[in-house]
Amino acid sequence: MTIFEKVTDTPFLQTIQCIDEKWVTSLFSLVNLNKGQILFHQGEPANTMCIVKSGELMKSFESETRSFVLSRHYSGDVIGEAEVLHWRRKRFVTTTAQQATSIWQIDHERLDKLLTKYPTLYKHLFGVIGERFVRAGRKIRYLAFMDARMRVVQLLVDYVSDHLQSHPSAPVPEWRVTQQELADLLGLNRESIARVISELQSHEVLVARRGVLQIADLQRLTEMASTLPADIFASESV
């Protein structure tokens, strides 16, 4: 996973031409989070936007009866942009550090100054927000209409897609995630996750160790994602 040393090297800011690095850097403050520490609470005022420097953040929506995991975010990802730009300025979800995490944080007043000086960043922000809608629609589709095996396959493909979007030339990293965390992401029980992972391993698509997943055959995984559930392993069973 790429770790950015400067906020101006992140995908959000690196496309600005003739950037005043010193001034832009001065707008952000570096914040370190411990594993399990909450960055944003659902429903609280949204006064800041963040860019992940290193580590991992998880977004979850909380109701009176349960918590539903929506997404995970890694180095280079922008966090909280939609809420801080929305007229209500309230957090839609709770965001928690899944491991020791560092972020660059900018408050809404400084963000306004940044966007005024570099208005092309609005286009980038709209792109980020648009991608959020695409991901949400895709996740709703496979949570609503796909069986356990296809949910896991689609989630793995989404993980690869998210990584390559931020780091197109980098290899796909190991995913440090437990079976229970996958179950929470997909609305399944841990036994279903274990069964699917075992099946993917037997077909040499995935290598799983305790708390770590490594995609061994990306091409095959991508092909599975576009295959009807009943036909995923048809070629081996004929």
Side-chain angles (χ1 to χ4, degrees), residues 28-139:
F28 290 82
S29 58
L30 183 64
V31 177
N32 296 312
L33 304 171
N34 297 319
K35 180 179 180 180
Q37 186 173 346
I38 294 177
L39 173 62
F40 301 140
H41 287 270
Q42 181 178 319
E44 72 180 5
N47 296 318
T48 60
M49 184 190 83
C50 302
I51 302 175
V52 183
K53 179 180 181 182
S54 62
E56 178 183 349
L57 294 169
M58 180 183 74
K59 287 183 177 180
S60 59
F61 179 81
E62 301 174 350
S63 68
E64 294 182 357
T65 57
R66 61 167 297 186
S67 177
F68 183 75
V69 177
L70 296 176
S71 59
R72 292 171 181 264
H73 299 272
Y74 307 92
S75 177
D77 286 348
V78 178
I79 299 289
E81 76 294 331
E83 294 114 323
V84 79
L85 292 175
H86 193 271
W87 63 272
R88 291 180 60 189
R89 285 210 175 120
K90 280 196 174 183
R91 296 296 176 196
F92 306 144
V93 296
T94 294
T95 303
T96 308
Q98 293 302 100
Q99 55 184 264
T101 299
S102 295
I103 58 170
W104 286 291
Q105 185 169 266
I106 184 171
D107 64 36
H108 67 89
E109 293 180 350
R110 293 187 174 190
L111 180 60
D112 286 344
K113 293 178 181 178
L114 179 65
L115 296 175
T116 298
K117 185 166 183 175
Y118 301 111
T120 56
L121 288 176
Y122 276 111
K123 182 178 180 180
H124 195 126
L125 283 175
F126 285 135
V128 170
I129 295 170
E131 183 60 26
R132 297 270 194 269
F133 282 110
V134 171
R135 293 181 191 178
R138 187 166 61 234
K139 187 167 185 178

Side-chain angles (χ1 to χ4, degrees), residues 169-199:
S169 60
V172 178
E174 295 179 336
W175 189 3
R176 298 188 176 278
V177 61
T178 66
Q179 291 184 2
Q180 186 58 58
E181 288 169 340
L182 289 174
D184 292 340
L185 279 167
L186 294 171
L188 298 169
N189 58 51
R190 199 171 71 83
E191 291 73 21
S192 296
I193 296 294
R195 185 170 59 251
V196 175
I197 288 177
S198 177
E199 187 174 15

